[in-house]
Amino acid sequence: MSAFLRPVLQRWRLSALVASLAMLAIAHAFETFGGLAPCTLCLRAREVYWLAAALALAGMLATRLRGGERFRLAFNAALALVFAAGVALAVYHAGVEWKFWPGPTACSGGGAIVDASQMTDLLQGARIKPPACDEAAWVFLGLSMAGWNALASLALTVLSGLAVAHERRTTR
């Protein structure tokens, strides 16, 4: 095991918490500073990271309690499942963007950011188009945010699996 990977796996719940919060911060930055309103599937992807962050924090606290170290493996495995669900959701979202399959029928952000000029237009009867799940709002190196999220979630799933294996080795 590499010198870099060992401390990450030894403190996987902390690492997963930091990674989840970083992904949420990145999504928030794209929304706040990039002006990219999230679609319904983008919001679902954030829920995965909120769940992972809460689970990682609970794992950090539980394993600090008397006898709690026996739950390390279970929390790491649960994180692997949560991140794997994130992979599935992100791949589904990317497939919707590439028109491989249809997205949800109610695939709009609902909470689109509206500025003052749009509010005036809205009051005069104009319609504001919410973000759609089947249109990539941002693409870098041929991958949309959903594609990058799939890769990040896959990496976090693999790392969670490695943390499970590491826990098994150290508890024997």
Side-chain angles (χ1 to χ4, degrees):
M1 183 179 323
S2 74
F4 169 74
L5 200 51
R6 184 174 290 114
V8 170
L9 297 180
Q10 288 172 338
R11 295 186 179 6
W12 178 241
R13 288 151 315 277
L14 174 61
S15 300
L17 175 65
V18 169
S20 296
L21 294 177
M23 291 298 288
L24 289 165
I26 290 167
H28 184 68
F30 270 103
E31 183 178 349
T32 303
F33 305 115
L36 301 176
C39 70
T40 300
L41 290 176
C42 294
L43 294 173
R44 294 292 167 261
R46 292 180 192 187
E47 290 173 4
V48 169
Y49 289 111
W50 280 114
L51 177 59
L55 185 61
L57 183 59
M60 289 171 57
L61 296 174
T63 57
R64 296 281 185 239
L65 298 175
R66 172 182 270 170
E69 60 273 351
R70 69 177 184 249
F71 297 115
R72 293 172 128 182
L73 184 105
F75 276 104
N76 291 347
L79 284 165
L81 291 174
V82 169
F83 288 130
V87 173
L89 179 62
V91 167
Y92 171 69
H93 189 179
V96 169
E97 289 175 339
W98 283 94
K99 315 288 191 269
F100 291 154
W101 42 74
T105 54
C107 200
S108 63
I113 299 170
V114 179
D115 63 23
S117 66
Q118 289 175 318
M119 185 59 81
T120 303
D121 293 342
L122 185 62
L123 291 172
Q124 293 174 355
R127 299 187 128 223
I128 295 174
K129 182 183 175 208
C133 296
D134 62 351
E135 298 172 13
W138 179 86
V139 176
F140 180 69
L141 298 177
L143 287 177
S144 66
M145 281 189 269
W148 286 107
N149 183 31
L151 292 177
S153 293
L154 180 61
L156 292 168
T157 302
V158 168
L159 287 169
S160 294
L162 291 173
V164 167
H166 175 76
E167 242 359 275
R168 282 189 177 148
R169 279 192 306 274
T170 58
T171 56
R172 287 184 182 174

